[in-house]
Amino acid sequence: MRTALCPGSFDPVTLGHLDIIERSSRHFDEVIVAVIRNPQKTQSLFSLEDRQQMLKEATQHLSNIRIEFFKGLLVDFARDHGVDAIVKGLRAVSDFDQELQMAQMNQRLSGIDTFFLSTSPQHSFLSSSLVREVARFGGDVSGMVPGNVNDRLVETFQNGRSTAAEGEV
Ligand code: PNS
C-alpha cells in the first residue's frame, strides 16, 4: 500500500488545498492529511480541532483520506506513519525556493521524497492567509473555500463569536 502525506497549517483549508488532496488521493492508496499543531508563521485563526473538523467535512466524499495532526518534525511523523511520499502543491515560482529547500532537507533527514503537484490555475492565487484577511473584512470568499469553511468564516467574522485562537476579530 502506498501512502502519501499532505501536510499544512490548513487555517483554514481552501479549495486549492482540496484540489491537491483530491488529486493525491487518485495516485496513492491512502492520503494522510496532517495538520500542524502550532504553525510558526502566524497565530492561528482556528483551533487545531476546528481545522481538523473542517478538513474532515470537506473530504468526506473521499474514501482514502485520513486527517491527523502533528507537532515537531514532519519527517518524524512521516516515518511513524509509514509514509512513502510527501505531496505538496506549487502555486507559483515564489513557492518553489522554500519548497525545494524543505524537500531537500526532508529527503536528507529521512530519505522520503517530496512530489510536487502544480496547483490548478483557478486556485493559483489562493492562500489561507489571504482568505482570512478578505473574510475578516467582509469580502466574499465563497468560491475559494469549501462551503462548510465559508459558513465558519462568516459565523466567525460576522457574529464576532469566534472559536478562534486569535484574540481580535
Ligand atoms: O500550510 P503551511 O503553513 O505552508 O505548511 C508548512 C508545513 C507545516 C508543511 C511546514 O512548516 C512543516 O513541515 N513544518 C514541520 C516542521 C518541520 O519538519 N520543519 C523542517 C522542514 S524542512
Side-chain angles (χ1 to χ4, degrees), residues 7-168:
S9 313
F10 303 107
D11 187 34
V13 58
T14 68
L15 290 183
H17 292 129
L18 198 54
D19 174 50
I20 297 297
I21 295 167
E22 282 172 349
R23 285 158 61 202
S24 301
S25 80
R26 289 187 226 132
H27 294 284
F28 290 87
D29 301 306
E30 181 184 48
V31 177
I32 301 175
V33 179
V35 186
I36 190 165
R37 188 183 262 284
N38 298 117
Q40 284 175 343
K41 281 194 260 180
T42 55
Q43 202 179 352
S44 305
L45 172 62
F46 291 107
S47 68
L48 176 67
E49 292 72 24
D50 283 347
R51 287 181 278 141
Q52 271 186 308
Q53 182 58 32
M54 283 187 271
L55 267 164
K56 265 185 195 147
E57 290 166 8
T59 57
Q60 60 189 359
H61 59 295
L62 302 169
S63 59
N64 59 343
I65 304 287
R66 246 184 329 134
I67 315 293
E68 302 275 353
F69 70 86
F70 77 103
K71 56 182 179 177
L73 283 181
L74 183 67
V75 290
D76 288 340
F77 175 89
R79 265 194 296 238
D80 291 348
H81 290 75
V83 163
D84 297 288
I86 296 164
V87 178
K88 297 275 194 85
L90 278 185
R91 287 168 298 193
V93 176
S94 49
D95 281 343
F96 184 73
D97 280 350
Q98 200 198 357
E99 290 297 345
L100 177 67
Q101 207 178 4
M102 287 200 282
Q104 288 172 331
M105 175 61 87
N106 286 333
Q107 216 282 337
R108 171 68 180 266
L109 291 173
S110 67
I112 298 174
D113 283 320
T114 297
F115 289 73
F116 293 115
L117 289 181
S118 54
T119 298
S120 297
Q122 68 269 29
H123 301 132
S124 61
F125 66 96
L126 266 181
S127 70
S128 296
S129 57
L130 267 186
V131 161
R132 289 197 303 270
E133 184 172 318
V134 172
R136 179 185 305 276
F137 294 112
D140 179 10
V141 295
S142 59
M144 305 173 201
V145 293
N148 64 316
V149 174
N150 187 56
D151 292 348
R152 283 303 307 273
L153 286 166
V154 169
E155 182 187 60
T156 298
F157 290 121
Q158 283 192 352
N159 300 343
R161 49 184 173 81
S162 162
T163 54
E166 223 166 34
E168 196 184 332

